Amino acid sequence: MRDSHLDRRAIAVILLMPYGFVSNGRCLCLQKDQMTELWTLTASELAPMVAARQISVKEAVSSVLQRIEAVNPALNAIVQRMDDQALVAAEAADIALARGDTPGPLTGVAVTIKVNVDQAGYATTNGLRTQATLDAEFDSPVVVNLRKAGAIVVGRTNTPAFSLRWFTRNSLHGGTTNPRDRTLTPGGSSGGAGAAVASGMGAVGHGTDIAGSIRYPAYACGVHGLRPSLGRVAAFNATAGDRLIGGQLMAVSGPLARSVADLRLALAAMAARDMRDPWWQPMPLRGAEVSRKVAYAEAPDGMSVAQPVRDALRAAAAKLRDAGYQVEEVQPPPLREAMEMQLRLWMAEFRQDAGAALRAENDPDANFVYSQLMRHCSEIDLHGLMSTLRARARLTRLWRTFLAEWPLVLCPVSGELPFINHLDVASSASFDAVLEAQLPMIATPFMGLPGLTVATGYAGSSPVGVQLVADQFREDLLFDAGEILSPEPVALAMV
């Protein structure tokens, strides 16, 4: 599976015709016989064309649906298709535009939704046979907000059972293939979203992240992914009710996309008000000016980091320096302790809220991963829970104080290149190796911090990227630096 390295300017030449549209300084020209190429465009390129009535929403969505038909059978990224509903929504959007309604910022943009959030009329399966008929009556806040912005939902994407792994396979929907390299994991738990975005089955993919579940699929599939701050994007599943404290404090929804500009657009849409989430905050998307300082943490807490990952980090540091950032090697506050506390809290919740469901589902992968996590997280009593929450206050204070001086941290997404698929269930030793490599992703959610995976290229045939971390509600700093590291959309995977 080779990537398309076609430059965006080359697309303009290929699609040359009697009219054109300028987006980000590039002329994107289309004619009727080239409409099938619309799936190659990013949200930032497509939405202005729709708003200008250069193309119709139905044409844009039909192009993506054709792409899904062509490549999804090989990838199994989208496990609940909704072609008819997407076309009905597209036609309604075109009628609204024709009567002069103001288009939303994502009008005409095809998006996917992960199967672990509620979408009216569809089962919130979370990769479980036991939830195959758990149909949602109402849209979750993130779905509501994407629709309000004009996005067209074209399908629902795969996740591992219980969204419990950095790999994507379950007994209900099956496994998802990485479109960059079928021998590698597509990541997890938003592996379906990562594979869909990388292969052109929607410009934006919705994902969720409690321990890297957006950032790691983005890394493994060679795209960008944002874990927003706690309280930035409202979340609530009526099918499940309120989560316990671990999920409330650490789980968030966010976007995956092929350009950082698309992440900006998607976050602005996703972050709209919805008071069903009591943690949601009406914070501005652009914060105050801060010093352009970056703490460079190539191997935080002494973790092992593979040489290709180190090379990617050093190249990213050099780009930021060239752009005027002050980049210095500085050890941030503890990550390993935060990881241990995060896993302790997460597993305490899982024991109470999902233990019976785990036994009822009896998914082999989930059973093995759960048993391995239990080796690392002994059961805690009330005193243990209280001390964990107290540690969260201390670690959050340390991190936010540090980020006041060093507004950005540049660190690994993972200590290793994307893993061979299903390495985590090969043996206990393999699981431990995977867990150790994921330290920088597991730790930061414990403090509610945002993180951005930026795809920076390849090490051989394997995608590689870097992670940027900022203070709460400073996703704008992540985007500013991310656009320097990846100023052009990443290439599509040609399946």
Side-chain angles (χ1 to χ4, degrees), residues 200-211:
M201 294 191 286
V204 174
H206 157 264
T208 61
D209 190 314
I210 196 172

Side-chain angles (χ1 to χ4, degrees), residues 226 228 232-233 255 262-271 285 475 479:
L226 174 74
R232 174 68 83 183
V233 176
D262 280 10
L263 295 182
R264 284 189 193 269
L265 273 179
L267 180 65
M270 291 179 171
L285 291 168
E475 293 89 353
F479 292 149

Side-chain angles (χ1 to χ4, degrees), residues 23 38-39 149 177 219 267 272 281 315 411 451 476:
S23 175
L38 291 174
W39 61 268
T177 299
Y219 179 73
L267 180 65
Q281 295 292 325
C411 64
D476 56 321

Side-chain angles (χ1 to χ4, degrees), residues 1 11 68 74 98 101 113 115 125 128 166 205 227 233 293 296 306 321 330 355 382 386 417 475 479:
M1 300 183 184
I11 290 178
I68 293 171
D101 290 5
I113 302 297
V115 294
T125 72
L128 305 176
W166 295 290
R227 175 202 152 81
V233 176
K293 295 172 64 177
Y296 180 72
R321 287 191 185 99
V330 181
L382 178 60
M386 293 297 103
L417 293 174
E475 293 89 353
F479 292 149

Side-chain angles (χ1 to χ4, degrees), residues 131-157:
Q131 294 185 190
T133 58
L134 184 63
D135 294 343
E137 185 177 355
F138 306 103
D139 284 342
S140 64
V142 71
V143 176
V144 169
N145 288 336
L146 285 169
R147 291 192 198 276
K148 282 181 180 178
I152 307 294
V153 182
V154 294
R156 289 168 61 77
T157 53

